[in-house]
Amino acid sequence: MGLIRFNEFAPAHNELAELCRLLGHPARLAIIELLLSAPQGLTVSDFVEALPLTQSTVSTHLKELRRIGLIGTEVDGRYAVCRLDVNRFNYYSKKLGLFFGPVRQKPSRSG
């Protein structure tokens, strides 16, 4: 059986690695979970109230999630309201599922 050789990493590998890096922090997972339960969106103050984080730390995590398009922010009066981009969330969920989905192992050959 030949081993696959990579001369460089595919864009899909880089995209998935970046997503895993961003999801590798419990605060970001909690932010996504909060947004999944609040389709109307949440303000930074809402996150600060719900999480054991300061406003500046919440803002830093939101910035990272915005950078990959998982959340969007709209100004509503004097508040910025964050909402989950459901299409992007579903896109990333599918990508993760394809990579981390169930593995079907071939029967092993006995010598």
Side-chain angles (χ1 to χ4, degrees), residues 4-10:
I4 298 172
R5 301 224 184 261
F6 292 98
N7 292 325
E8 61 183 53
F9 296 111

Side-chain angles (χ1 to χ4, degrees), residues 20 25 29 37 39 41-43 48-49 51 61 63-64 74 76-77 79 85 90-92 95-96 111:
C20 289
H25 196 290
L29 293 174
S37 68
L42 297 169
T43 65
V48 170
E49 184 178 321
L51 300 169
H61 289 299
K63 179 181 173 185
E64 287 294 306
E74 296 175 14
D76 183 12
Y79 297 102
D85 182 326
N90 290 336
Y91 168 81
Y92 283 133
K95 286 274 190 191
L96 286 169

Side-chain angles (χ1 to χ4, degrees), residues 39-101:
Q40 76 283 4
L42 297 169
T43 65
V44 173
S45 298
D46 294 328
F47 292 115
V48 170
E49 184 178 321
L51 300 169
L53 301 172
T54 64
Q55 182 273 328
S56 63
T57 302
V58 167
S59 294
T60 299
H61 289 299
L62 292 172
K63 179 181 173 185
E64 287 294 306
L65 293 170
R66 259 193 309 275
R67 189 172 57 78
I68 65 164
L70 261 178
I71 65 169
T73 305
E74 296 175 14
V75 176
D76 183 12
R78 54 179 252 222
Y79 297 102
V81 178
C82 301
R83 288 185 182 81
L84 188 69
D85 182 326
V86 176
N87 291 329
R88 191 68 143 170
F89 179 82
N90 290 336
Y91 168 81
Y92 283 133
S93 292
K94 183 177 178 182
K95 286 274 190 191
L96 286 169
L98 290 172
F99 192 79
F100 292 109

Side-chain angles (χ1 to χ4, degrees), residues 10-25:
H13 293 144
N14 293 326
E15 180 182 38
L16 191 58
E18 178 65 4
L19 177 63
C20 289
R21 183 190 72 77
L22 286 172
L23 296 179
H25 196 290

